[in-house]
Amino acid sequence: MTKRIEIDDIRQDMLSLGLHFASEALPELVSESAKTGAAPHLLLANALRVEVANREERRIKTSLRLSGLPPGKTMGSFDFSFQPSVERSRIETLATCTFVRQHETILIQGPPGTGKTHLAAAFGVKAVEHGFSVAFYTLEDLLHAVRKDADRPLQRLRGVKYLKAGLLIIDEMGFQALTRQEAGLFFRVVNYRYDRGSTIITTNKSVKDWPEVLAGDEVMATAILDRLLHRCHVVNVTGRSYRLKDLEKRLQ
Ligand code: ADP
Ligand code: MG
């Protein structure tokens, strides 16, 4: 009877300390520990483990929700054998997220359907797992956001996702040409993030076509590329379209 009360007291103290998961799990851990006669420090270790593991799971879930990443696009679901142009070991090295820590860029280029968005999102998931904040935008959505914020000075914008995120992913650069104003706002983002955060860009255009995409402004394009490409990993995806793979099969 005294034991019951003691456990509830401990649970209450745990709750006061915010250890909700450990508190929840404690009665079962205690009775298991009593059954097996395990060393007392193991009980403490297990209770803390439950708390840490559950908090980590919750953090990842929340962070993924806030990131805007498309669901289901992970390294695990990427079929490397379908896309031999993508070197698995290199992608796995990048996926350790040193590039995020060092504020570097990954440029993923290639034709439609080859898995660029999937890879970019998979890097995003890895970054979340490593504890970084991630913001995923299609270029169109990003331009929409920066146009909305165009009149606000940078000091007022420090909290916005596309500036603050540890990793900013810009998907589908090259499909639409930017206006001069948009190119200027895009420069503002890239310049602010330079040395502050990491960026991944997916594109169907080669870098030499960027001036055309950036409102035909060579000077602007050079200034943007200079910052983006300073410390940049280029991933070229040259294979077949995954979207068309079933169609190819049916046509054979
Ligand atoms: P891109 O951005 O290059 O146009 P996506 O990444 O959108 O291509 O890929 C198109 C679809 O095919 C997506 O649903 C994606 O998850 C899937 N896909 C592409 N490549 C692969 C791959 N190698 N393994 C598994 N799924 C893939
Ligand atoms: Mg895409």
Side-chain angles (χ1 to χ4, degrees):
M1 195 63 202
T2 42
K3 189 166 163 229
R4 188 75 245 156
I5 292 166
E6 276 167 30
I7 291 174
D8 283 344
D9 287 346
I10 300 170
R11 292 186 66 191
Q12 203 49 54
D13 283 347
M14 283 176 152
L15 281 180
S16 307
L17 290 169
L19 304 173
H20 296 267
F21 298 110
S23 165
E24 178 82 15
L26 194 66
E28 205 181 314
L29 291 175
V30 168
S31 71
E32 203 180 294
S33 171
K35 247 188 263 157
T36 59
H41 71 279
L42 285 182
L43 174 59
L44 186 59
N46 286 335
L48 291 176
R49 181 63 12 227
V50 166
E51 183 68 33
V52 169
N54 277 285
R55 279 192 193 192
E56 179 65 358
E57 194 184 312
R58 194 180 50 185
R59 180 193 66 75
I60 290 176
K61 241 194 219 153
T62 308
S63 189
L64 282 176
R65 186 161 37 77
L66 294 175
S67 69
L69 282 163
K73 310 293 177 197
T74 61
M75 285 299 165
S77 63
F78 190 81
D79 180 0
F80 285 90
S81 67
F82 180 81
Q83 214 56 281
S85 69
V86 177
E87 196 191 326
R88 183 177 198 143
S89 63
R90 182 161 175 252
I91 299 299
E92 282 172 350
T93 304
L94 286 171
T96 61
C97 292
T98 307
F99 78 97
V100 187
R101 225 162 278 123
Q102 300 186 340
H103 307 153
E104 293 169 348
T105 306
I106 299 181
L107 187 63
I108 306 175
Q109 39 186 35
T114 50
K116 298 184 298 298
T117 300
H118 190 132
L119 275 177
F123 282 128
V125 174
K126 284 286 177 192
V128 165
E129 288 171 359
H130 278 85
F132 298 104
S133 58
V134 174
F136 180 99
Y137 288 86
T138 61
L139 178 68
E140 196 183 349
D141 291 344
L142 179 67
L143 291 178
H144 185 79
V146 296
R147 276 197 312 263
K148 209 174 62 146
D149 296 333
D151 295 333
R152 292 166 67 194
L154 270 180
Q155 304 92 287
R156 293 275 185 80
L157 288 174
R158 279 196 194 124
V160 305
K161 251 179 19 173
Y162 57 81
L163 294 182
K164 195 180 67 172
L167 171 62
L168 172 67
I169 303 176
I170 307 170
D171 193 30
E172 300 190 344
M173 185 94 194
F175 280 113
Q176 68 182 112
L178 279 63
T179 64
R180 210 161 254 277
Q181 187 222 14
E182 288 168 340
L185 292 168
F186 187 71
F187 172 76
R188 189 162 87 143
V189 173
V190 169
N191 192 42
Y192 180 87
R193 291 185 58 81
Y194 179 70
D195 259 348
R196 282 197 180 92
S198 172
T199 306
I200 295 181
I201 294 183
T202 77
T203 179
N204 60 340
K205 287 262 164 47
S206 90
V207 163
K208 70 172 172 18
D209 297 325
W210 279 43
E212 192 189 314
V213 174
L214 296 166
D217 188 331
E218 289 269 355
V219 177
M220 184 69 82
T222 308
I224 288 172
L225 285 171
D226 182 61
R227 282 155 185 78
L228 278 179
L229 303 186
H230 179 202
R231 286 189 305 265
C232 180
H233 308 268
V234 178
V235 175
N236 278 307
V237 196
T238 53
R240 296 181 290 148
S241 166
Y242 198 87
R243 288 197 191 98
L244 299 182
K245 123 188 124 106
D246 293 334
L247 181 67
E248 280 174 21
K249 234 187 251 156
R250 270 181 278 141
L251 291 177
Q252 268 167 14

